[in-house]
């Protein structure tokens, strides 16, 4: 019968010999491939934009107001770099504000993000 560890003792770790995969010895990607990958990674994602819209739609007016107060212009710039989907989302919201779209609250709708589109 195997010895059971006591309450304050850690169980013995299994033998990990050979668990690490060796690095593959191949050609490094050329600079053109690396540059293309960097460009692709910064392209907006329709799926991520849909998630953001869904999450914003699920927030209460109070939560949206708190988000507006929390996002400084500097933070907005960083968010736009991290989430390029925000720019298209902000543009769509500002276009809807010009039309007959119902507004959820009086006053500015986008806080710090309002002037970033």
């Amino acid at each position: 019968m195997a010895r059971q560890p006591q309450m304050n003792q850690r169980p013995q770790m299994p033998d990990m010999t050979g668990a690490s995969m060796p690095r593959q010895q191949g050609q490094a990607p050329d600079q053109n491939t690396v540059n293309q990958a960097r460009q692709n990674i910064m392209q907006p994602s329709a799926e991520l934009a849909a998630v953001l819209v869904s999450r914003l739609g699920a927030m209460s007016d109070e939560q949206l107001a708190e988000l507006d107060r929390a996002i400084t212009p500097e933070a907005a710039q960083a968010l736009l770099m991290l989430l390029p989907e925000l720019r298209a989302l902000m543009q769509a919201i500002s276009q809807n504000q010009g039309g007959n779209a119902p507004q959820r609250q009086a006053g500015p709708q986008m806080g710090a993000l309002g002037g970033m589109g």
Side-chain angles (χ1 to χ4, degrees):
M1 181 176 223
R3 182 176 170 221
Q4 295 293 323
Q6 298 296 321
M7 285 290 254
N8 60 356
Q9 293 178 344
R10 291 185 182 181
Q12 185 177 4
M13 295 297 293
D15 181 19
M16 299 298 287
T17 304
S20 296
M21 294 181 62
R23 285 189 170 249
Q24 294 181 353
Q25 299 296 326
Q27 294 180 355
D30 61 34
Q31 192 60 38
N32 205 14
T33 302
V34 171
N35 290 340
Q36 184 65 40
R38 284 186 183 143
Q39 288 176 353
N40 289 343
I41 227 168
M42 292 309 295
Q43 294 301 310
S45 161
E47 293 85 7
L48 185 52
V51 169
L52 291 172
V53 168
S54 177
R55 288 178 180 167
L56 286 170
M59 293 174 78
S60 69
D61 288 342
E62 293 79 22
Q63 289 170 322
L64 290 170
E66 181 65 29
L67 184 63
D68 283 345
R69 285 189 297 271
I71 298 176
T72 64
E74 295 80 14
Q77 287 294 334
L79 286 171
L80 288 170
M81 285 187 280
L82 179 64
L83 296 167
E85 296 80 7
L86 284 177
R87 188 172 309 278
L89 179 60
M90 291 181 327
Q91 289 171 344
I93 289 171
S94 63
Q95 288 173 358
N96 283 339
Q97 286 179 349
N100 294 335
Q103 294 189 3
R104 290 183 67 161
Q105 65 188 40
Q109 293 284 313
M110 295 289 291
L113 294 177
M116 303 304 294

